[in-house]
Amino acid sequence: MMKISLIVTTYNWKEALSITLNSIKKQTMLPFEVIVADDGSRSETRNLIEKYKEDFPTSLIHSWQEDIGFRLAASRNKAIAKAKGDYLVIVDGDLYLPAMFIQSHSEAAKKGTFVQGGRVLLGPNISKKMLDEYYLPSFFSADIRNRHNMIDSSLLSKIFTKIRNDDRSTRGCNFALWKQDAVNVNGYNEDFEGWGREDSEMVVRLLNQGLDRMYLKFKAVVYHIYHKENSRKMLEKNDAIYKKAIGERLVSCENGLSKHDR
């Protein structure tokens, strides 16, 4: 049976991470393990994770790195290196995962493909209510964008899920692939520092390896809790790294996952 490692990225927002971890506990199909990829959070996050470990229904691992700036690529690579599953589902720690989330990803997984899942965008008002009261939004709740993504339908998913071999609409907050495929492209490129393009660049290398990108619709959606956007001051530099992968048809990167496999 396929073992799913669920990787959850986080940085100093334990309230949102609590929403994510609570939703994982209620999954109809539990992942084999959950690895929190922590980009240098303070001790409050570590204490929260230790508390959750007391009754968490599956293995819960805290993968932490020093806080020396936004290093999402390195944080994810360290978590991937620790993963014992053969399939990786990668999400952010500011999401609510509906109960069928892991099961839907399990059913969508196919050799030779990686998966881009969808998201529902929660506005500031409903996000505050969710964080303060653990309120769970419904299809009819106000302050929601991409509302149609809240529909979970096998029929609609079969109709609208497509192989779409480009890097447009790449969202690293809901992404899945076989661990061996991540190893083959050497994971995320750690030349990326600061927000932007690390997900798209990895998608380019996966496509250059000959894999298909499945754009999964009406299944395995996530609900994204509102927050202010990260600084984009590194976007120009990161965009150049991304464009190099396209122009040179790169299938791997030098500064990646292999540095953590020791």
Side-chain angles (χ1 to χ4, degrees), residues 29-46:
M29 174 184 174
L30 288 170
F32 170 71
E33 62 186 355
V34 176
I35 305 173
V36 178
D38 187 345
D39 191 14
S41 297
R42 297 182 296 269
S43 59
E44 291 91 339
T45 296
R46 180 179 300 278

Side-chain angles (χ1 to χ4, degrees), residues 185-248:
V185 299
N186 204 20
Y188 291 88
N189 187 341
E190 296 183 27
D191 289 343
F192 285 96
E193 294 187 1
W195 182 90
R197 294 290 189 267
E198 66 283 325
D199 302 305
S200 295
E201 192 266 354
M202 184 178 176
V203 165
V204 168
R205 288 183 281 114
L206 289 165
L207 291 171
N208 289 345
Q209 283 271 4
L211 298 174
D212 286 324
R213 175 182 184 261
M214 181 191 297
Y215 195 57
L216 184 61
K217 296 291 289 181
F218 299 109
K219 283 288 178 184
V221 71
V222 296
Y223 295 9
H224 181 255
I225 300 169
Y226 173 83
H227 58 80
K228 292 181 181 178
E229 289 188 348
N230 292 305
S231 168
R232 302 195 176 198
K233 65 180 180 181
M234 297 296 291
L235 186 56
E236 185 175 349
K237 171 181 174 289
N238 288 353
D239 206 43
I241 301 169
Y242 159 70
K243 288 177 179 176
K244 179 181 178 182
I246 296 173
E248 299 183 12

Side-chain angles (χ1 to χ4, degrees), residues 62-89:
H62 187 196
S63 175
W64 184 90
Q65 66 183 12
E66 185 181 0
D67 184 4
I68 53 174
F70 186 104
R71 295 185 299 141
L72 179 61
S75 180
R76 284 179 174 160
N77 278 344
K78 287 180 179 179
I80 291 170
K82 289 179 170 68
K84 295 182 174 66
D86 45 13
Y87 195 72
L88 310 174
V89 177

